[in-house]
Amino acid sequence: MGSEIKVGPMRVLVTGGSGLVGKAIEHVVQQEGGKLEGEEWIFLSSKDADLVDVGQTRAVFEKYRPTHVIHLAAKVGGLYLHMRDNLHFLRDNLKINDNVLQTAHEMGVTRVVSCLSSCIFPDKTTYPIDETMIHNGSPHSSNFGYSHAKRMIDVQNRAYFQQYGHHYTAVIPTNVFGPYDNFNIENGHVLSALMNKTYKAKKEGTAVNVCGSGAPRRQFIYSLDLGRLIIWALREYEEIDPIIFSVGEEDEISIKEAMDLITKALDFKGKIHYDTTLSDGQMKKTASNAKLRRYLPDFPFTPLKEAIQMTCDWFVANYDIART
């Protein structure tokens, strides 16, 4: 039984539609002409259904009857939350992913594009990492639960194709940031948490305390760029094998360099303290975007300085709701 391409406009269900990447896709769909004539796009939040629960997952699929799914929903947190609750992140994400993919199969969904994470890459590996190396060793111990659950999406995609001919695939973004991110200081993503810390320190006239040495290096991708790429993948990417969505290796920067861009964007003149008693996590996870460039050699990534400035501006304008 293969996945037949259905005639007529797509009805796209976006799980995790109220989060960082979901909001970016919604912006591209509504503001940048990403939605084609006749299409329907539904952006789900956790208020619509708890996808850990198979009954609620089934009910929301029956309500909207999607032809296509972009699967973004996940239980996720910052480095230190993952270190503390690996089992919780493993179990909940395994359930979410299995519920979404199996329900998509049962309901005849034509295509699913799931969003993975660069944390799935092996901890001990050669660089740059590419799509063929995902399962070549254990992920970093700090978030092994979440990482293994995300890796299983790739395994499930291959199995659904082998057994049913379904075109379910996955994209692997590097570190994503942008408007509507989790800016929580305790469990937010690194750039967004640092933006919150820095703005708070500026308001209070205090120093910024950065967890770790500032030495780890990361490739950051602006959420709107990722939104544009995921929509491209939904329409054009035919492979079951995943694809890395990232800026080039040459654009990888240290946390300290990113912090310098944040302080400039927020006009912070105070002191910065790097607390080396706290873990750095993975020191680097450099990814190759060669496969992406074979498909889209001219895709224009937003320059990091500009993207950080726009995100800081959004955070300040939405401070009362974004800081929590």
Side-chain angles (χ1 to χ4, degrees):
M1 170 182 153
S3 291
E4 298 298 324
I5 301 300
K6 298 181 179 178
V7 178
M10 297 193 302
R11 189 181 309 111
V12 186
L13 186 70
V14 182
T15 72
S18 62
L20 167 66
V21 182
K23 284 291 188 183
I25 292 172
E26 186 175 27
H27 176 89
V28 176
V29 165
Q30 295 182 352
Q31 307 295 327
E32 297 183 6
K35 175 182 177 181
L36 302 185
E37 186 177 352
E39 288 180 352
E40 186 179 355
W41 288 72
I42 303 107
F43 293 85
L44 293 184
S45 77
S46 56
K47 294 174 184 173
D48 296 297
D50 178 4
L51 299 177
V52 174
D53 182 278
V54 67
Q56 291 189 43
T57 306
R58 177 87 191 185
V60 82
F61 270 70
E62 287 180 342
K63 179 179 180 180
Y64 293 110
R65 296 277 168 176
T67 62
H68 294 65
V69 171
I70 295 175
H71 176 37
L72 309 174
K75 291 293 174 72
V76 66
L79 170 64
Y80 298 99
L81 189 62
H82 278 280
M83 289 173 70
R84 192 171 68 235
D85 294 337
N86 267 295
L87 179 62
H88 166 77
F89 284 107
L90 173 70
R91 297 188 72 233
D92 277 2
N93 283 294
L94 284 173
K95 291 174 186 175
I96 290 169
N97 300 333
D98 189 55
N99 289 343
V100 168
L101 292 176
Q102 180 62 15
T103 304
H105 158 65
E106 292 171 357
M107 303 280 293
V109 170
T110 300
R111 188 182 294 262
V112 180
V113 176
S114 297
C115 191
L116 308 187
S117 164
S118 60
C119 71
I120 68 175
F121 295 140
D123 181 30
K124 294 178 172 58
T125 187
T126 54
Y127 296 101
I129 299 167
D130 66 32
E131 292 84 355
T132 67
M133 300 161 68
I134 293 169
H135 303 285
N136 293 356
S138 299
H140 193 266
S141 60
S142 61
N143 56 2
F144 71 89
Y146 178 77
S147 301
H148 277 297
K150 282 292 190 181
R151 280 186 183 188
M152 283 305 299
I153 292 178
D154 178 51
V155 176
Q156 289 173 283
N157 286 343
R158 295 169 194 275
Y160 277 111
F161 179 70
Q162 181 195 59
Q163 196 158 335
Y164 298 108
H166 291 339
H167 279 77
Y168 298 171
T169 191
V171 303
I172 311 170
T174 47
N175 291 65
V176 192
F177 73 99
Y180 299 97
D181 203 352
N182 175 8
F183 290 84
N184 185 284
I185 288 172
E186 297 302 320
N187 60 26
H189 294 132
V190 58
L191 283 195
S192 303
L194 289 174
M195 289 174 189
N196 192 351
K197 275 188 178 183
T198 304
Y199 187 62
K200 187 169 182 280
K202 180 183 176 182
K203 285 166 66 80
E204 296 174 357
T206 58
V208 177
N209 189 59
V210 180
C211 299
S213 67
R217 302 185 67 80
R218 296 289 184 265
Q219 289 154 294
F220 293 102
I221 179 171
Y222 186 47
S223 59
L224 288 178
D225 291 339
L226 179 57
R228 295 166 190 132
L229 287 169
I230 289 175
I231 292 171
W232 166 81
L234 186 73
R235 299 190 189 283
E236 306 289 341
Y237 184 65
E238 297 288 346
E239 295 185 42
I240 306 303
D241 290 344
I243 183 170
I244 291 169
F245 286 164
S246 176
V247 298
E249 299 159 48
E250 69 280 2
D251 294 315
E252 184 177 58
I253 67 166
S254 70
I255 300 301
K256 187 175 187 305
E257 290 169 314
M259 187 63 190
D260 290 343
L261 292 174
I262 291 169
T263 56
K264 288 185 176 70
L266 291 171
D267 194 30
F268 176 75
K269 308 289 188 185
K271 292 184 178 180
I272 303 168
H273 171 65
Y274 290 89
D275 187 347
T276 55
T277 66
L278 295 172
S279 170
D280 274 325
Q282 207 163 350
M283 291 307 293
K284 65 182 289 185
K285 38 187 178 178
T286 316
S288 168
N289 72 351
K291 184 174 183 177
L292 171 64
R293 284 307 187 194
R294 287 197 295 273
Y295 278 101
L296 298 173
D298 300 318
F299 181 82
F301 285 100
T302 306
L304 183 61
K305 180 180 178 182
E306 181 183 328
I308 285 179
Q309 183 68 64
M310 289 190 291
T311 306
C312 285
D313 291 347
W314 183 90
F315 174 71
V316 171
N318 296 275
Y319 180 68
D320 288 336
I321 59 168
R323 62 180 169 165
T324 54

